[in-house]
Amino acid sequence: MLDIEDDEIFEKPTRGLVAGPNMRYFRRRYFNMSEVARHNTADDLWVTYLGSVYNLTSLAKEYKGSVLMKPIVEAAGQDISHWFDPSTGNIRTHIDPMTGCLKYYTPRGRFVHIPPQLPRSDWANDFGQPWWRQTRYEVGLLSYKTRLIRIINTLTSQEHTLELWGCLYGILPELWPFI
């Protein structure tokens, strides 16, 4: 049971349990590009755009075999921020010089939830929100800065290198003892 009245960072204990940290203050997990790059197949498809990491594996399974999935599968494990307008979060658009019509910017070809260039009767637009607007695909944030930390055991002279990413500055100071 959350204690929202006092805006405390602890949950009220129930049934004699000890109060734990309130999970609404914890941030999502951070990923670096090398970790995202490992998910580069249609069976395990992750992409990043606009600073977030998205797992599109379920989208790839839903549209398996569709030619509209090809540009996304080709970009698996990569950053596709250049497809999106940072101010709106939607796909970039441009004016076609031949027709003067507004078109979506799709550098690798048309993909899922992008309408065809010309009106067609076989394109269903009843899918609701496009996949880039659905939060269920978002798994975390992209970490731009990684730090390598070298740990040396002075007794055995063993060395280990750890790669740390993420940012502790975004976490509330009250939660530092729990990290």
Side-chain angles (χ1 to χ4, degrees), residues 60-133:
K61 288 179 183 175
E62 183 181 345
Y63 289 94
K64 188 172 183 146
S66 173
V67 72
L68 295 178
M69 208 50 216
K70 185 179 178 213
I72 298 172
V73 172
E74 288 176 353
Q78 300 174 16
D79 183 54
I80 57 171
S81 294
H82 62 282
W83 295 5
F84 297 88
D85 182 8
S87 60
T88 63
N90 278 325
I91 300 292
R92 288 183 187 260
T93 57
H94 70 283
I95 304 293
D96 186 13
M98 298 291 240
T99 62
C101 295
L102 186 69
K103 292 191 175 183
Y104 289 102
Y105 173 72
T106 53
R108 295 188 180 197
R110 186 174 151 241
F111 51 86
V112 177
H113 298 165
I114 295 290
Q117 293 182 3
L118 300 172
R120 294 173 53 170
S121 62
D122 64 342
W123 187 70
N125 61 355
D126 59 350
F127 50 80
Q129 282 190 325
W131 61 265
W132 59 87
R133 286 285 190 189

Side-chain angles (χ1 to χ4, degrees), residues 146-159:
T146 60
R147 303 275 192 252
L148 293 176
I149 297 177
R150 190 173 63 160
I151 299 174
I152 301 172
N153 185 336
T154 56
L155 292 175
T156 61
S157 299
Q158 291 178 331
E159 288 188 27

Side-chain angles (χ1 to χ4, degrees), residues 19-89:
N22 188 338
M23 297 307 288
R24 68 185 164 124
Y25 287 109
F26 284 101
R27 291 203 170 252
R28 291 171 281 179
R29 185 163 180 231
Y30 287 89
F31 297 92
N32 63 3
M33 274 310 292
S34 64
E35 189 171 8
V36 174
R38 287 185 234 145
H39 304 277
N40 59 0
T41 64
D43 297 327
D44 187 19
L45 195 155
W46 286 23
V47 295
T48 65
Y49 60 91
L50 303 180
S52 295
V53 179
Y54 295 84
N55 181 353
L56 301 179
T57 307
S58 60
L59 183 74
K61 288 179 183 175
E62 183 181 345
Y63 289 94
K64 188 172 183 146
S66 173
V67 72
L68 295 178
M69 208 50 216
K70 185 179 178 213
I72 298 172
V73 172
E74 288 176 353
Q78 300 174 16
D79 183 54
I80 57 171
S81 294
H82 62 282
W83 295 5
F84 297 88
D85 182 8
S87 60
T88 63

